[in-house]
Every structure is written in structure tokens, then in C-alpha cells.
Amino acid sequence: MLRVEGLNTYYGRAHILQDMGLEIGAGEVRVLLGRNGAGKSTTMKSVIGLVRPTSGHILFGGHEIAGEEPHRIARRGLGYVPEDRRVFADLTVMENLEVGRQPARDGVRPWTPERLFELFPNLGRMRDRPGGRMSGGEQQMLAIARTLMGNPRLILLDEPSEGLAPVIVEGMANAILALKGEGLTILLAEQNLHFAGGVADSATVVEKGRVVWSGSMAELRADEAARTQYLAV
Amino acid sequence: MDSIVPQLLTGLAGASSLFLVASGLTIIFGVTRIVNFSHGSLMMLGAYIGWSIITRLPREPEWFVLGILLTVLATALIGVVLEVAVLRRVYRAPELFQLLATFGVVLVLQDVTLWIWGAVELPLPRPRWLRGFVEIMGNRFPAYDLFLILVGPVVLGLLWLLMNRTRWGTLVRAATLDREMVAALGVNQRTLFTSVFALGAGLAGLGGALSLPNASANLNIDLSVITDAFVVVVVGGLGSLTGAFLASLLIGVIQAFGIVLVPKITLVLIFLVMAVVLVFRPNGLLGRPQAEAREATVAAPVVRAAPRELRLLGALALLVAAVAPFVVGDYYLTVLTDACVAVIFATSLHFMMGPGGMASFGHAAWFGIGAYAAGLLMQWLGAPMPVGLLAAPLAAGIVAALFGWFVVRLSGVYLSMLTLAFAQIVWAVSFQWVEVTGGDNGLLGLWPPDWARSPRVFYWIALALAVAVALLLRRALYAPYGYALRAARDSATRARAIGLDVARLRMVALVIAGAACGLSGALFSYGKGGIFPTYISIPHSVEALLMVLLGGLQTVAGPIIGALVYTGLADILVRSTDLWRLVLGAVIVLLVTAFPEGIAGAARRLWLRGREA
Amino acid sequence: MSVLVVQGLSKSFGGVRAVGDVSFAVAPGEMLALIGPNGAGKSTLFNMVGGQLVPDAGSVLLGGVPITGLGPRAIARHGVGRTFQITATFGSMTVRENVQMALLSHKGEVWSFWRPVAGRHAAEADALLAGVGLAAQAERATGVLAYGDLKRLELAIALGNEPRLLLMDEPTAGMAPAERVALMQLTRRLATERGVAVLFTEHDMDVVFDVSDRILVLNRGTLIAEGDGASIRANPAVREIYLGTGATSGGH
């Protein structure tokens, strides 16, 4: 569904992504692992178009999207949930969802606020609350729900567990599994290996903007050497 | 009692016009984060276009309304062109460059308007129905003003519905908070921005056209309106429509009563109101603290001393400058003297703006205060030039300390606008207080003493002062004080957490910058033999900004290079074309779009690239 | 003798109580972790101790001296160092200059307009940088540092003030798991060496249970538990509102 090949991205003169490559099949949940600054967020921002890669290919559903504007990429059915959530603080829950709303898409069961409130019951109880007056966990749920309103085929989830209480992280894991059950393809960036292990099918480990390991989650569990070398656990 | 009611109604009518302009400004600011200097020009165009349309239509009320609507459409369309041609290219540039670009648009539109409609004021012939009166509490009150009073609240209501009850409004409010995220959710922000700009421009056009029956289309609308609109928007709170409405009422009413009660100090009064509001509510009546910019912030480059090659180059340039009087004629010597004044003017602004992080839009105020201090001392006490040159920085520094008391609490755009408003007050005082300042005629007869009267000697004095000021300021910047000032700019949170007094650091920077600038004002006046209110005009303040931004904020050499380039450029322009505003404005816009880091910044980057490659 | 004593601290926002009647103390060299669900009032509590917020009621004593309601600058002068969740350093300066700035401020040498900064307290700054393992990066621009190094620089800056108390708001946020523990072990070592009390908030339970001497659990603005790692882990109330089953946080 998504194929990234030979992607190079710079911030100023810093070479952040160096020949980055990865592939996700339909319905797959893949996790990008790696320390801070390894290039996980930049990979996601390059895919959604917020950062313009200098060279390389990004194929989404067979279309080249590298260099397209973010809103065009999003309208192709690619959703992005940023690391720091970025909910619209002055807008209510319902208004936040409205901003994310896009027309229905073939092959995606259309998301409505009501369906989202089944997935995240907390949100349903605070429809008129401004995003800025919600806790971190609630904001994370709203950020995901807002992106789902665009009826994406694939979502990029950047560190959804960051800064959340363990018990909330468990709830987040369950929600991601439910989305997977809906057939959604998910690319996840994480540092929390416990969390990633519970939801992902496969993993790509990045270091200094390059892929250093790639394989299934089961292979990663078995590969003690890779875990120690790249993830220091 | 007799005059209260009509005065109040006049005030409310004025408030409506103010609100129309301010609402457009605040909406555009909310979404694009651009303070649109050219908003007053859009209102001016609205007045001229309205005049052209309405005078060609039959004189019945329904045709008048149609004419107004056509004008709104026309200005909205001009807004679209402006957004696509200029603003779209500077959304990613630093805030000040955006302001500068829109000021470039002001200059261009001034000359374009002059070229199309000519210099004569254009009053709208008023048919009988427009001259109607209504009797209120025994006073005859113009019916048209009553209509204007209604327009304000109606527009506010419509805008509120648009913003809160439509998908477009929801998207606009979301984009106000985080445009990048809105784009990532599939919303085309280009069309959104263009439509917002069109709405704002249309509102300005509406304000301009509706002002016609009571005023006339003239070339002074742009800058006078933009100052009022800035005050309203700042008092109301940037981005808040309701705030802008309340502030328009406040300012409108105060203006109406001020003109009757204290005609000479109306502007001062408005400034005081603004000051009081900002002291108690630093973000305006209904404004909220400015969220941290959502854009990926590029780390500021580390400030290091200039490379040895550059220092040698500087020393060489100084040598050339010192022997210049033996080579060039008197005319160029005057230009060079102006350049020395410009160097002090620009380096002093750079001091507070670069390391201090306080962008002043009214730097000419200190220039003027210094000049008038020297001039008045000469007039009252017959003080000679050395005394004047000493008194000028003192006077400017003292006023800066008073003004600084509350200005250093503000930040970003609020600070810029307050400095602009303050400069307008100083200008108003110099212009209106004829008994003391001579008003428009200025103070004359301010000449250097005999020993310094030859252009050559005076040039050397100016050069020595410029070099001394630049070196002293540089010295302070590399001393602990300069570092602490920079620390407060880089991260006020961290600065406080290590025990730095951020407000006091900034206050002292303002005093130093004001004093140095005051010196340049006095020096300039001795060179020209007189002092005029134009020294304190908005364009003069913008000149200082242009010099600093041309040169770049990051280096101490920047403002010096900027001052020299600007002085040279302006000299060539003024001598070679009548449309110098148009050319200068276009050059500003082009420069901003081409070199968002300034000349010195670009040179430095190229230099480094050559080194490290 | 405790470095920090907090008594009956309370704060409401618009009628909603964010923190109610919280009391605790921290001893020199002690690492005290403050944990709790998002929105439990941790940041509010932190900001009242750090001077960013003025409490409605209660008192904060630093070494026996009341600092309740003072501003951040005054509190810093009393000997409280801080690191922030989003790192705050001086981007236009080198790594060494950042620490020099802290030292200049601490020694009251800021209001000097003549002698250049260049060599001032450079040796002392380098010693602090060596302590956090940044000696080799002293000449680099702050903007190009890796995230973990930036966090360590913040620590060095905070120590430049010779604090008695260090407040660390989510010090390891955004770091890789291995870096997190390393940073906090470094903090622990420096705290012990210098007798600095450390109060920190944290969501990574590996870090909390690994480095803290004592843990406070805050929920809905009140303290619901206090104790060492083992007792907190065993506490059923804490498991329910905060820790969960441990499936996604390392099986605690």
C-alpha cells in the first residue's frame, strides 16, 4: 500500500533521512523503532508532505506522492497523527472532528462522530469541550479520531504513547487493535517497545536516518543481538 | 448635556468605520499571522474605487448601495491579487519581513493611486437623501451617521455567524491555531488563505466606501487609518473580532469627545487608553497569549566574532571612509554624512531588535526626540552643538526609560505596534504643538559652530561618532550584559530559571538604543540646519527597519552594511525617478522574497558554504 | 533536615480544584518521583513550587525559608534549578557559553558592559560539562546537539546555579528507553555528590522504579499514595488509576 524508496530529506544542511526505504502491505501494522532524532518523525512528515524530500520515491496505492502538497496527499486517503497531537485548542471536540471530515472513500466504512465515540467513549462525553481543556490522553484520542474523520486507508501514528500514563497507554493499544480489526493500515513510530510489541505485526528499525533492521515482530523478539545493538534493551 | 448625545452618536458612527477596517485586519492576522500594513491602503482604494463607481451611477439610495457592494467586490478582488502575488510568497519568512513586504505594498499602492486618481481630494457629491437629519433629544443628527452606527453591530453579527456556524469558519479558526495541521487533514490552505484575505480586503473596501459621504477620497487615508486600526486591534486583542468591536467603540467615542474637549492631544489620549489597557491586559481586552509559533523553528545560528578577513575588510573600508573628503565633492560628502547618521540609526535599532528581540516600528521617535532636544536647547538657551549632541542621547534615553516601563512587558507584534503608536504620538506632538516645535515649519537655524561648519570637518565628526557608537554597542554585546540580553531573547523561560531579570535587561537595551538613536537625530539636524516632524514619520521608522533587515539581524556588521546600501540606493532613486515610492516598494517586496535573511546573512551563508565545502 | 517542605498547597482554576491540600518534603540527595494520570495536577503542583503559578493556599519552604508565591527568578535565586519538558536553552550560543551564562548570572556579574564573556568562568563551565559528559561538545552550537545531549546540557545549566533543589518536569520525555535511564542515573549521581534534592515527574515506569528513592502518586489534585517502588507497585488504587496491568509499560 505504501512504498518508500531511497528517500533523502534535509533540514537546512543536516541530512536527516539517508536513502530511507520501507514498505507496508494493506492491513499491516508496522512500527518504526529508533531513538530520538533517528528520523522516525521526519519519515512520517516526508510521507504526508509537511517536509519536502530532496530525492526518492513515495508510492501510495501505486501513485507517486513525493513532493505533492500535504492536503492532496491527505485527500488520497493518508492520515497523519502528529507526535504532539496538535488538537485545535480553541475548537470543541465536535469542531475538531469537523475539520478532519472528508468525503466517504471507496472501501472504507465511513467514520462518523458516533462511530468514533464508540471507539473512544470518553470523547462522546465531552463533545462541546475545547481541545485545550482536555488531558493528554483525551487529546491523543481526539487527534486520532480527527484523522479518522478523513476516512483514511492508512494512518501515520507518531508516538501515540508518549507522555501518557501507563493505564491510558493500555487503552490506546486496544484502540489501535480495534482499528486494525477494521482493516486500517497503520505505520506507527514508537520508542516504547512494550507498547509496540503488543500492536505491531512488523518492525523497521532506523538509526541516523537509515534502515538498519527490518522484519516481523516475532523475528525481532528472537533477534537478541539486534535488540541490544539498536534498541539497547 | 446638549453636546453629549450628538457627540456620543458621532463617536459611535466613527466606531463603526473603525471596526470595519479593524475587523478585516484582525481576521487576516488571525489566519495568516501577518500584520498587514497595506490594510489601510485597501481602505483607501475602497474610497477611490467607491468614488469612481458611485459618481457614475444614478443618485438614488438603491444605486448607492449597489455601488458600495461593487466596491466591496472590487477591493476583495484586489485582495486576492495581493495575496497571490505577494503574501503567499512570504508566509514562511520571519514576521518582520512580512510586515516589511506589506509596507512595500503600501508604497506601491500610494504611487499607483496617485497616478490613477491624481493628487486632488475627491469628495462625493451628496444627494438630498444623504443629507437627511433625524431629531434626537432636541438635536438634529445626520441620518447617514445613524445608518453607520447600525452597520458595525450587523457586520459583527454576520461575521460571528460565518466564523462559528459554517464549515468555512471552523476551518478558518482551526487554521488560525495550526495551519500545518489543517493542511495535513486534507484542507487546501491556499484557497483558505486567499478567501480570508479577500474577506478582509472586502471589509476594508466597505469601510472606505462607506466613509465617502462624510469624508473624501484622499491620499492620506492609508497611513492614518492603519495607525488607528492597529490601535484598535491591539486594544481589542489580536485576532479577536468581539475585542476589535469593543475597542472600536472605546476609541471611536474617545476620539469624538477628545476632539471637542482636548483637540490638541486627541492622539495622546488614545495612546494613553491603549497604554492603560495593555498594562492591565498585556494581550488586549479579549486577546489571549500568543501561542508559540507552530512552524518548525530553525535554530538561530551561533553568534561568533567576525572572521579575520572581514575585520580587515572593515578596517580597510574605514580607512577609505576617512580619506574620502580628499577625493569626493561636497554633494557626495553630504551623502556620506547621511550614511554615517544612518549607521548610528540602524545599529541602535539592531541593538534592541537583534540581540534584544524587540522589533521597533517607531524607531524614528528616538531620532526625533534627540533632534528636538538639541533644537529646543539651542532655541531656549542658545546651547552650542557639543551640548546639543550630549543632551540628545540623554533626553532620548530618559524618555525611553519612561516608555520602556510598560513596553518591555509586551512581546512580538504587540511591542512592534506599541512602538509604532508611540512614534505617532511623538509625531503628533511635534506637528500640533506649534508654539514649541514650530509645527510643520519645524525648528530652523540649527547649525554647527564655525570650526565644524565645513562639510569636510562635519563629515569627520559624523564618521567618528558613527564608528564610536558602533564599536561601543558591539563591545556591550560581547560583554556579559549582551549575552544576558541574548539569553533573554533565546529563551525567556530559561533566562528566568537561571535568575536573569528579563524585563530589566530589555529595558536597559531600549534605553541604550533610544539614546544612541537620539544622537543620530541631533547629528542629522546639525547637518541639515533644521528639524521637521517628518523625521518622526512612519516611513522614516520603516527606513531604519529596512536598513537592519537588509543587512540581516544575525551579525553586528549587518546594520552597518544595510545602512550604507540603503543610503546609496535611496540617493540614486530619489534623483532618478518621480515614482520613487513605487520603485522602492517594489524593491522591498522583491528583496524580502529573495533574501529572507538579509544581505549580510546571505553573504555569510555563501561565505560559509565556500569554507566548508 | 528537608531541603523542600510543601504544606497544604492548593490551587483552583475557575472554580475547578487542580491541586488540593498537598504536603510533602524532600531531603538532600533524595530523588522524589511524582507520578499520576494526565491531568492529575502534577504540572500545577510543579509550577507552584517553581514560581510560575501562585498558590491559593499553603506554603513552600526552601531550607526553612518561605518562598511561597515568589516569581521564577526569585525562586531561582533562592537555589532552585529547573529543567523543562520542552528543553529550554540559549540557541544562539555555544554549549559552553550556555553554562557560562548560568555561572555569570549566579555570580551576579551580568551587569557588565565592557569585559568580553569569552574566557570568563570557562574552566568552571568545562568542569560542569565534563560532569554531564559534554566536554567534547563545548564548542558546538546548541542547535545541532542531539536531543539527549540537549537534556544533559539543561542539567549542566541548572547545576551552574548551585541549586539545593532540582525540579525536573518529565526530564526524559521524547528520549529512547536506554537514554532515559542513563540520564536519570547521571542525575542521581550528581544529586548524591552535591547533596541536591531532586523532584521529578515521569511517565516511564522503568525510570521511576529504577532511580527514585520515594514516589508520590497524585490523582485529581490530591496525594493518594506515597512510598518506595515496591509499595507503590503493590498498591491496588495506584494500579487501577495509573499503572494498569503493566502490559504496555514493562510488566510492573
Side-chain angles (χ1 to χ4, degrees):
Chain A
M1 174 161 278
L2 177 74
R3 200 163 87 222
V4 175
E5 280 174 7
L7 201 64
N8 285 285
T9 300
Y10 290 78
Y11 281 143
R13 246 180 304 154
H15 197 172
I16 306 294
L17 295 186
Q18 313 188 2
D19 279 329
M20 178 74 193
L22 62 91
E23 194 164 354
I24 315 172
E28 186 182 339
V29 177
R30 177 173 286 270
V31 63
L32 274 176
L33 292 165
R35 65 181 63 216
N36 207 277
K40 303 187 301 295
S41 289
T42 309
T43 303
M44 294 199 157
K45 285 186 175 171
S46 301
V47 171
I48 191 66
L50 290 178
V51 171
R52 202 167 275 249
T54 1
S55 65
H57 298 285
I58 305 171
L59 294 164
F60 178 57
H63 295 276
E64 175 68 67
I65 58 168
E68 271 194 22
E69 286 184 77
H71 73 270
R72 292 201 185 281
I73 298 175
R75 286 179 188 181
R76 290 182 182 278
L78 219 150
Y80 169 61
V81 183
E83 184 176 11
D84 36 5
R85 295 149 202 159
R86 296 166 79 160
V87 300
F88 303 114
D90 291 353
L91 273 57
T92 64
V93 167
M94 290 304 281
E95 286 173 334
N96 265 282
L97 295 180
E98 172 66 21
V99 176
R101 183 167 64 84
Q102 293 288 331
R105 201 178 303 283
D106 282 344
V108 179
R109 202 171 132 216
W111 287 99
T112 60
E114 296 313 316
R115 266 191 77 207
L116 287 166
F117 294 153
E118 282 168 30
L119 186 66
F120 301 114
N122 273 1
L123 294 183
R125 288 193 286 272
M126 46 180 80
R127 294 169 195 228
D128 294 320
R129 183 173 302 180
R133 297 204 0 233
M134 300 165 75
S135 74
E138 290 157 356
Q139 288 188 348
Q140 184 64 59
M141 293 174 204
L142 178 58
I144 296 175
R146 181 180 64 181
T147 299
L148 290 173
M149 282 296 284
N151 300 311
R153 296 178 208 280
L154 182 154
I155 59 171
L156 311 168
L157 265 178
D158 200 352
E159 302 215 21
S161 77
E162 175 64 40
L164 298 185
V167 70
I168 305 287
V169 175
E170 280 182 36
M172 199 57 68
N174 291 334
I176 290 173
L177 290 173
L179 292 176
K180 186 181 172 184
E182 290 267 340
L184 192 64
T185 312
I186 300 172
L187 178 61
L188 187 72
E190 260 306 333
Q191 306 218 24
N192 181 343
L193 202 56
H194 308 300
F195 173 70
V199 296
D201 307 314
S202 52
T204 296
V205 183
V206 281
E207 203 166 80
K208 292 183 180 158
R210 299 171 196 276
V211 174
V212 290
W213 191 96
S214 190
S216 75
M217 219 58 211
E219 284 165 355
L220 185 62
R221 268 183 218 107
D223 193 343
E224 175 109 35
R227 293 215 321 273
T228 339
Q229 188 181 347
Y230 303 123
L231 305 170
V233 286
Chain B
M1 186 65 208
D2 265 3
S3 66
I4 287 183
V5 173
Q7 220 47 52
L8 184 69
L9 291 174
T10 310
L12 292 178
S16 269
S17 308
L18 265 182
F19 173 67
L20 290 180
V21 183
S23 61
L25 190 66
T26 212
I27 290 175
I28 290 175
F29 173 81
V31 177
T32 62
R33 295 283 135 181
I34 287 183
V35 177
N36 179 21
F37 231 111
S38 65
H39 205 69
S41 312
L42 288 168
M43 172 160 174
M44 179 173 78
L45 282 179
Y48 275 102
I49 293 171
W51 182 89
S52 290
I53 294 179
I54 294 169
T55 48
R56 282 177 175 74
L57 294 175
R59 308 181 82 188
E60 279 71 40
E62 56 271 27
W63 289 100
F64 177 79
V65 171
L66 181 73
I68 298 276
L69 290 179
L70 286 175
T71 308
V72 170
L73 275 180
T75 39
L77 210 65
I78 293 171
V80 170
V81 173
L82 266 184
E83 201 271 344
V84 174
V86 179
L87 291 162
R88 190 172 277 186
R89 292 163 210 285
V90 299
Y91 284 138
R92 291 190 172 272
E95 203 168 62
L96 276 165
F97 283 82
Q98 300 173 336
L99 261 167
L100 214 55
T102 61
F103 187 78
V105 173
V106 170
L107 291 177
V108 170
L109 288 182
Q110 237 167 23
D111 265 359
V112 168
T113 312
L114 176 67
W115 184 62
I116 298 179
W117 282 282
V120 187
E121 285 197 23
L122 301 175
L124 189 72
R126 303 208 302 171
R128 179 182 297 273
W129 66 270
L130 262 178
R131 280 174 284 161
F133 281 91
V134 175
E135 193 150 308
I136 297 170
M137 297 178 73
N139 291 291
R140 274 153 53 90
F141 193 75
Y144 184 72
D145 282 11
L146 284 182
F147 162 72
L148 276 187
I149 291 176
L150 282 180
V151 169
V154 168
V155 169
L156 175 67
L158 289 175
L159 286 176
W160 189 89
L161 286 176
L162 182 67
M163 288 295 169
N164 291 287
R165 290 286 178 271
T166 65
R167 176 172 166 85
W168 185 84
T170 309
L171 295 183
V172 167
R173 284 189 295 135
T176 301
L177 298 164
D178 188 345
R179 10 175 158 155
E180 212 180 61
M181 195 59 228
V182 170
L185 287 168
V187 176
N188 184 348
Q189 39 165 357
R190 285 193 179 199
T191 16
L192 197 65
F193 278 30
T194 310
S195 58
V196 164
F197 208 83
L199 175 70
L203 285 168
L206 179 65
L210 285 178
S211 74
L212 276 176
N214 287 338
S216 59
N218 64 71
L219 288 167
N220 298 322
I221 294 179
D222 53 357
L223 287 183
S224 70
V225 158
I226 196 66
T227 318
D228 286 351
F230 277 175
V231 171
V232 167
V233 166
V234 165
V235 169
L238 280 169
S240 164
L241 274 176
T242 321
F245 184 73
L246 292 179
S248 316
L249 287 183
L250 190 67
I251 305 289
V253 170
I254 287 172
Q255 247 169 359
F257 281 102
I259 283 171
V260 174
L261 300 175
V262 281
K264 293 242 152 143
I265 58 158
T266 314
L267 258 175
V268 180
L269 197 66
I270 289 173
F271 175 73
L272 284 179
V273 171
M274 177 159 148
V276 169
V277 169
L278 288 182
V279 165
F280 288 101
R281 299 192 63 90
N283 297 299
L285 290 174
L286 298 181
R288 263 167 306 170
Q290 295 291 301
E292 294 291 311
R294 260 299 182 194
E295 309 289 309
T297 42
V298 183
V302 168
V303 174
R304 299 181 200 264
R308 216 164 57 90
E309 292 87 337
L310 196 63
R311 289 180 192 217
L312 278 175
L313 207 66
L316 202 67
L318 192 59
L319 196 71
V320 171
V323 299
F326 300 113
V327 185
V328 303
D330 276 1
Y331 175 77
Y332 282 103
L333 216 46
T334 330
V335 176
L336 283 176
T337 308
D338 287 353
C340 292
V341 171
V343 165
I344 306 180
F345 193 35
T347 44
S348 63
L349 176 61
H350 169 264
F351 189 83
M352 63 180 285
M353 196 169 142
M358 296 177 287
S360 169
F361 255 78
H363 204 56
W366 316 118
F367 191 92
I369 290 171
Y372 276 101
L376 291 174
L377 273 181
M378 186 270 307
Q379 207 164 56
W380 294 339
L381 306 172
M385 186 174 89
V387 176
L389 289 182
L390 211 64
L394 251 164
I398 289 169
V399 180
L402 296 175
F403 174 64
W405 181 77
F406 61 89
V407 87
V408 295
R409 280 149 227 271
L410 307 174
S411 57
V413 183
Y414 281 91
L415 193 142
S416 303
M417 291 206 182
L418 202 64
T419 51
L420 174 80
F422 176 72
Q424 281 299 92
I425 307 310
V426 179
W427 173 81
V429 170
S430 72
F431 186 73
Q432 293 182 327
W433 202 6
V434 183
E435 298 85 346
V436 173
T437 63
D440 212 12
N441 297 322
L443 294 177
L444 296 172
L446 193 73
W447 295 106
D450 288 337
W451 57 268
R453 195 161 290 186
S454 96
R456 202 178 267 185
V457 175
F458 192 76
Y459 164 71
W460 275 323
I461 292 174
L463 181 67
L465 284 174
V467 171
V469 167
L471 287 180
L472 279 174
L473 291 180
R474 182 182 178 281
R475 185 90 200 183
L477 287 180
Y478 284 101
Y481 168 75
Y483 269 71
L485 184 65
R486 205 137 51 79
R489 176 203 66 186
D490 283 356
S491 169
T493 319
R494 169 52 69 201
R496 286 194 191 96
I498 61 168
L500 293 177
D501 189 338
V502 174
R504 205 166 135 217
L505 285 166
R506 300 175 79 195
M507 170 96 161
V508 170
L510 185 69
V511 171
I512 293 175
C517 182
L519 175 68
S520 69
L523 189 62
F524 186 74
S525 309
Y526 283 110
K528 301 292 168 205
I531 305 161
F532 307 96
T534 47
Y535 290 6
I536 314 170
S537 64
I538 295 179
H540 195 221
S541 288
V542 173
E543 269 181 21
L545 274 174
L546 259 174
M547 294 174 199
V548 171
L549 295 179
L550 269 177
L553 278 170
Q554 308 301 346
T555 59
V556 182
I560 300 176
I561 297 171
L564 299 180
V565 170
Y566 181 83
T567 313
L569 204 74
D571 179 60
I572 296 168
L573 262 183
V574 171
R575 280 190 298 143
S576 57
T577 169
D578 283 341
L579 294 175
W580 65 271
R581 277 195 222 93
L582 187 106
V583 179
L584 182 62
V587 168
I588 292 176
V589 172
L590 283 176
L591 277 179
V592 169
T593 41
F595 300 110
E597 54 200 325
I599 297 173
R604 186 190 163 87
R605 185 171 47 103
L606 292 174
W607 168 268
L608 283 178
R609 184 184 285 170
R611 295 275 115 170
E612 286 173 26
Chain C
M1 174 70 190
S2 296
V3 172
L4 174 75
V5 178
V6 168
Q7 274 166 348
L9 220 49
S10 301
K11 179 82 188 173
S12 298
F13 295 108
V16 181
R17 199 175 68 165
V19 169
D21 199 19
V22 169
S23 306
F24 63 89
V26 199
E30 186 184 26
M31 300 277 285
L32 180 61
L34 179 63
I35 64 172
N38 305 95
K42 298 191 297 294
S43 297
T44 307
L45 184 58
F46 235 71
N47 287 334
M48 285 192 284
V49 178
Q52 280 80 12
L53 285 174
V54 179
D56 295 339
S59 64
V60 183
L61 299 176
L62 188 74
V65 181
I67 57 165
T68 326
L70 294 182
R73 196 177 76 82
I75 286 181
R77 288 256 174 253
H78 274 90
V80 175
R82 252 203 104 145
T83 67
F84 297 92
Q85 193 177 340
I86 299 163
T87 50
T89 53
F90 306 129
S92 68
M93 301 181 194
T94 64
V95 170
R96 182 187 290 125
E97 285 170 344
N98 264 273
V99 182
Q100 279 176 293
M101 192 65 248
L103 292 169
L104 285 166
S105 175
H106 180 59
K107 296 174 197 293
E109 294 171 10
V110 162
W111 296 98
S112 149
F113 294 79
W114 193 252
R115 234 183 83 205
V117 168
R120 293 198 184 196
H121 311 304
E124 201 175 332
D126 285 347
L128 276 168
L129 287 173
V132 298
L134 283 179
Q137 314 220 38
E139 297 284 343
R140 296 188 77 195
T142 321
V144 301
L145 286 192
Y147 193 68
D149 290 343
L150 214 49
K151 293 269 185 189
R152 286 189 286 166
L153 172 58
E154 261 209 318
L155 194 56
I157 296 174
L159 291 175
N161 219 13
E162 289 179 33
R164 286 180 284 173
L165 170 72
L166 204 52
L167 293 176
M168 304 178 86
D169 195 0
E170 302 211 12
T172 72
M175 298 177 86
E179 287 178 309
R180 294 178 183 223
V181 174
L183 177 77
M184 291 315 284
Q185 276 168 350
L186 170 69
T187 309
R188 140 125 264 160
R189 184 169 56 75
L190 292 168
T192 316
E193 279 171 19
R194 295 161 179 256
V196 179
V198 179
L199 174 65
F200 68 105
T201 62
E202 184 57 65
H203 275 306
D204 186 325
M205 291 307 113
D206 291 338
V207 172
V208 169
F209 292 127
D210 192 55
V211 301
S212 65
D213 296 308
R214 208 150 49 90
I215 301 168
L216 300 176
V217 187
L218 203 62
N219 188 36
R220 294 169 193 267
T222 54
L223 282 184
I224 59 159
E226 181 177 351
D228 61 9
S231 75
I232 293 295
R233 234 176 300 202
N235 186 320
V238 178
R239 291 202 84 91
E240 191 196 327
I241 59 121
Y242 185 72
L243 289 175
T245 62
T248 54
S249 59
H252 296 295

